[in-house]
Amino acid sequence: HVQLQASGGGLVQAGGSLRLSCVASGIKLEHYGIGWFRQVPGKEREGVACISRGDGKISHEDSVKGRFSISLDKDKNTAYLQMTDLKPGDTAEYFCGTDCRPSSTWYGRRGQGTLVTVSS
């Protein structure tokens, strides 16, 4: 049974930082790739960052480049999204999903999200 559990969201002031975690069970993330996505009600889903399956290429969406960083701890089977210099526009539900692709909103499996709220 595959499970992905995101955590680490919360309320933060603009300019602040958060680190999101995505713990996986029933699947080895290094074999499937893992990405972070975000969703705001009424808006299209965005692919935020991705570690691609196979070559492990790391990519970040343009609006978060230089501020967000995705990483994978293979031993812990956990992916992270380090977010710095947060802006109100980053407010969304964030979730992790497997089989991500650069510049794509597609994913294979996903877990529950974690809410990030950035106040101005």
Side-chain angles (χ1 to χ4, degrees), residues 37 45 95-100 104-110:
F37 304 82
R45 180 173 66 239
F95 64 92
C96 52
T98 64
D99 300 287
C100 60
S104 172
T105 59
W106 194 89
Y107 58 85
R109 298 179 175 92
R110 65 160 287 178

Side-chain angles (χ1 to χ4, degrees), residues 3 8 10-11 13-14 20 30 32 34 41 45-46 50 79 81 87 111 113 118:
Q3 280 192 315
L11 173 63
Q13 287 188 326
L20 307 183
E30 62 183 290
Y32 287 87
I34 187 71
R45 180 173 66 239
E46 287 185 284
C50 175
L81 184 68
K87 305 178 188 301
V118 184

